[in-house]
Amino acid sequence: NNLPARDPGLIELIPRREYLISLEKWFLDSFNGIKLLTGLGGYGKTAIARSFSEVLIDNRPQRYESLIWLTAKTDFFVSLQGATKANSRVDFRDSVSFFSAALMEMGYLSTEVENKDKDELVDDFIGLIADLLIILVVDDIDSLDIDEQYILIGDLQKVSFVNIYSAQVPSKL
């Protein structure tokens, strides 16, 4: 896995057991490959996703090769300091850079993705996750411009739909 360091602004996770149970049910549903956590900023979406990811890492599901975490978060609020800090790790800024980053996390070289258009990257990604079962967490899509948010979510829905019907056990997004 490539789980990033904990957000320094996170003091304590408020128990959200019902969300974690919901994620567990989703994870076990082989006909539902994508789950979207939505809500206002600061309400704990990333913390919930991270807690669930940690459970998966600690109890590694046998069929899955890896958990990949990609983020568009450019900065975060540190409540103890009352200030915003730059995030040292920003994985993507749009749909094209998202699929490039995802492929590189799964073993592609930068030279293998740098001259491809988005359709080629998406096709490569779909082909790869049919054989390499992954759990992919996409954090902070709402950091992108609104048009890019819709494009990326649409692309992820396409990937998930194709993956559910082409793989014995689908990757989870």
Side-chain angles (χ1 to χ4, degrees):
N1 73 77
N2 69 340
L3 203 60
R6 274 196 177 274
D7 186 332
L10 180 63
I11 300 168
E12 179 182 350
L13 176 65
I14 298 169
R16 296 238 170 45
R17 184 170 170 75
E18 67 276 4
Y19 290 111
L20 296 174
I21 290 170
S22 173
L23 285 171
E24 184 176 343
K25 287 178 183 177
W26 159 76
F27 188 78
L28 296 172
D29 181 354
S30 60
F31 295 105
N32 190 351
I34 191 168
K35 182 73 166 180
L36 179 65
L37 301 179
T38 63
L40 297 172
Y43 277 78
K45 299 175 299 292
T46 297
I48 291 167
R50 184 181 175 91
S51 293
F52 187 66
S53 295
E54 289 170 346
V55 167
L56 292 175
I57 290 166
D58 291 344
N59 302 292
R60 187 170 181 226
Q62 291 180 353
R63 296 179 179 172
Y64 290 88
E65 301 285 334
S66 64
L67 184 140
I68 298 170
W69 184 288
L70 297 175
T71 185
K73 185 181 284 197
T74 55
D75 50 46
F76 51 88
F77 182 73
V78 181
S79 57
L80 293 175
Q81 298 174 352
T84 301
K85 290 200 162 197
N87 189 5
S88 61
R89 175 183 160 188
V90 179
D91 298 308
F92 64 96
R93 298 185 189 287
D94 55 24
S95 189
V96 172
S97 62
F98 167 80
F99 284 103
S100 294
L103 287 167
M104 287 189 292
E105 283 292 334
M106 292 186 287
Y108 273 48
L109 301 173
S110 60
T111 55
E112 294 176 291
V113 298
E114 65 189 14
N115 292 322
K116 291 189 176 187
D117 65 26
K118 186 178 77 169
D119 291 336
E120 292 172 311
L121 294 169
V122 171
D123 288 346
D124 285 358
F125 184 78
I126 289 170
L128 197 55
I129 64 171
D131 297 324
L132 180 68
L133 295 176
I134 63 164
I135 302 158
L136 177 63
V137 180
V138 186
D139 187 32
D140 258 333
I141 293 175
D142 60 338
S143 294
L144 305 176
D145 291 335
I146 190 72
D147 292 340
E148 278 299 327
Q149 292 177 40
Y150 288 123
I151 290 168
L152 181 56
I153 290 171
D155 290 340
L156 290 172
Q157 288 174 322
K158 173 187 171 187
V159 165
S160 178
F161 181 78
V162 171
N163 185 243
I164 285 172
Y165 294 104
S166 66
Q168 286 184 326
V169 177
S171 290
K172 293 290 189 172
L173 313 175

